[in-house]
């Protein structure tokens, strides 16, 4: 490997920046490799993975996250998946309790969900058939819930069972619940009593409507349950008002995902070898493990004192990968006890702002900065493996298919070093 002068790198980077500043395009791979915050003379190297496979993500925490997803979807590669929301109904903050007495008459109860996106066609108008039922037991505050958890419902309750049209322009989904919900809301109780007495709701879509998924923003104040009412006082005057109950933010909630891989390459439940394809699926689906141990050991033997100035993991997408791309790929390594932990480059994301992890259209790949991680691997002399996950896997349905390690355009780590 021959030396590459820093002046060449910097000049090329400046030139590329000048040509692309108005278009907001990413620079080419060779120039994007250079960390322009550092001045050094370096050599380039490349590591290729020797092991890779796709495996099922069997433990995904979903309780109390800011976003979730409702609906169901299927495709030939990943099979069928459904998503159901479980949530408490909570009182407004700074409230010790509620007192809806006999003089209060409920006019309507509207459940509102703040839409983030629809899937698989973000521009399409869907007709979802929503179903809302009361839980048979209270959703507890002190319990962690995972993707495979669910709670029983009171089958005698059916607060909503109808079609709702959701267009691309819609930001809110409003479900006017039937009067059977009134007896659940109309009560006098403390905040804790109210949570235990109302138990919570299960919200899902059914096959009576369109197939599709809709992401929900739980952090939005407009994701709520609002009760409209009026009071009739002894003087026969009528006072109208409404009360906003919390759902999502401020209450306990979780999302249940269910997969059916019948007829797919994931049907056996075993890991899928990554020679030709690697798969990332959200919603408690598939994740990728890979190792660069062979090439790393060979490089370490030849360059025991190498200093890594910049390194990137490049994950090329396969021709079969969907055109709607996930937002970001995260990388985890392993600690001394073999536990999966975020790599150092990702931990320092907010201070170094260079991790990336996003899709790059110019080369049809995802790129992740792994400079600190690679330096750490060289210090220990081996690679215990990487775990790749989708950052938005709890609420965004986009999935990705990558080239495997035996493909011509295979995953690789490209780096600049000196010694």
């Amino acid at each position: 490997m021959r030396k590459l002068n820093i002046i060449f790198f910097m000049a090329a980077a400046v030139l590329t920046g000048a040509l692309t500043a108005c278009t907001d395009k990413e620079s080419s791979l060779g120039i994007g490799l250079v960390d322009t915050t550092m001045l050094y003379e370096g050599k380039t190297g490349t590591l290729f993975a020797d092991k890779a496979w796709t495996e099922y993500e069997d433990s995904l925490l979903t309780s109390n996250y800011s976003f979730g997803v409702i609906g169901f979807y299927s495709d030939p590669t990943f099979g069928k998946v459904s998503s159901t929301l479980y949530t408490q109904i909570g009182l407004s903050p700074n409230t010790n309790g509620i007192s809806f007495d006999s003089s209060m008459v409920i006019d309507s109860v509207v459940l509102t969900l703040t839409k983030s996106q629809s899937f698989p066609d973000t521009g399409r108008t869907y007709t979802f058939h929503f179903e809302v039922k009361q839980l048979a037991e209270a959703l507890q505050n002190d319990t962690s819930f995972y993707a495979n958890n669910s709670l029983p419902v009171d089958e005698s309750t059916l607060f909503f069972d109808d079609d709702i049209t959701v267009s691309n322009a819609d930001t809110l989904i409003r479900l006017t619940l039937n009067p059977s919900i009134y007896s659940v809301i109309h009560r006098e109780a403390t905040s804790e009593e109210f949570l235990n007495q109302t138990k919570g709701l299960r919200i899902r879509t059914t096959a009576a409507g369109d197939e599709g998924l809709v992401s929900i923003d739980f952090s939005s104040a407009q994701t709520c349950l609002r009760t409209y009412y009026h009071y009739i006082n002894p003087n026969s005057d009528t006072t109208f008002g409404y009360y906003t109950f919390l759902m999502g933010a401020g209450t306990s909630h979780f999302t249940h995902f269910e997969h059916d891989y019948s007829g797919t390459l994931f049907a056996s439940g075993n890991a899928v070898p990554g020679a030709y394809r690697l798969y990332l699926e959200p919603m408690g689906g598939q994740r990728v493990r890979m190792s660069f141990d062979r090439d790393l050991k060979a490089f370490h033997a030849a360059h025991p004192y190498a200093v890594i100035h910049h390194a990137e993991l490049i994950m090329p997408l396969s021709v079969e990968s969907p055109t709607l791309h996930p937002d970001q790929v995260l990388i985890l390594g392993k600690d001394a006890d073999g536990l999966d932990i975020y790599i150092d480059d990702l931990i320092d994301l907010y201070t170094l702002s260079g991790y990336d992890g996003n899709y790059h259209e110019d080369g049809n790949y995802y790129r992740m900065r792994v400079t600190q991680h690679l330096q750490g691997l060289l210090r220990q002399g081996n690679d215990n493996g990487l775990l790749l996950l989708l950052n938005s896997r709890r609420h965004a349905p986009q999935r990705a298919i990558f080239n495997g390690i035996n493909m011509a355009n295979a995953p690789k780590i490209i780096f600049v070093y000196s010694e």
Side-chain angles (χ1 to χ4, degrees), residues 73-81 260-262 264 266 281 399:
Y73 179 69
S74 63
D75 70 33
T77 301
F78 292 96
K80 301 175 182 178
V81 62
D260 180 359
Y261 291 116
S262 301
T264 73
F266 310 111
E281 182 192 17
R399 58 283 309 272

Side-chain angles (χ1 to χ4, degrees), residues 97-146:
I98 192 169
S99 180
F100 281 172
D101 58 31
S102 58
S103 62
M104 190 271 283
V105 178
I106 295 179
D107 299 311
S108 64
V109 177
V110 180
L111 189 159
T112 304
L113 303 170
T114 303
K115 188 194 79 171
S116 175
Q117 67 165 318
S118 299
F119 182 88
D121 186 346
T122 57
R124 173 188 165 186
T125 295
Y126 289 86
T127 300
F128 294 116
H129 190 96
F130 280 90
E131 177 192 88
V132 181
K133 290 188 175 184
Q134 186 179 22
L135 300 182
E137 58 187 53
L139 198 164
Q140 299 299 324
N141 289 324
D142 58 354
T143 303
S144 295
F145 293 95
Y146 292 80

Side-chain angles (χ1 to χ4, degrees), residues 221-244:
Q222 292 179 293
T223 297
C224 63
L225 188 73
R226 180 165 290 177
T227 297
Y228 296 88
Y229 60 85
H230 68 271
Y231 277 105
I232 302 177
N233 62 34
N235 298 324
S236 298
D237 294 330
T238 302
T239 302
F240 292 90
Y242 64 84
Y243 188 94
T244 302

Side-chain angles (χ1 to χ4, degrees), residues 296 300 306-308 334 344-345 370-384:
L296 184 127
H300 180 60
V307 176
I308 305 300
K334 288 187 178 294
D344 290 337
D345 302 270
V370 293
T371 308
Q372 296 182 64
H373 181 69
L374 181 57
Q375 187 71 74
L377 295 182
L378 290 173
R379 281 196 295 267
Q380 71 185 31
N382 70 292
D383 178 14
N384 292 324

Side-chain angles (χ1 to χ4, degrees), residues 86 133-138 150-155 199-200 202:
Y86 294 83
K133 290 188 175 184
Q134 186 179 22
L135 300 182
E137 58 187 53
S150 61
L151 292 175
V153 296
D154 183 347
E155 295 295 349
K199 298 182 176 62
R202 184 189 72 182

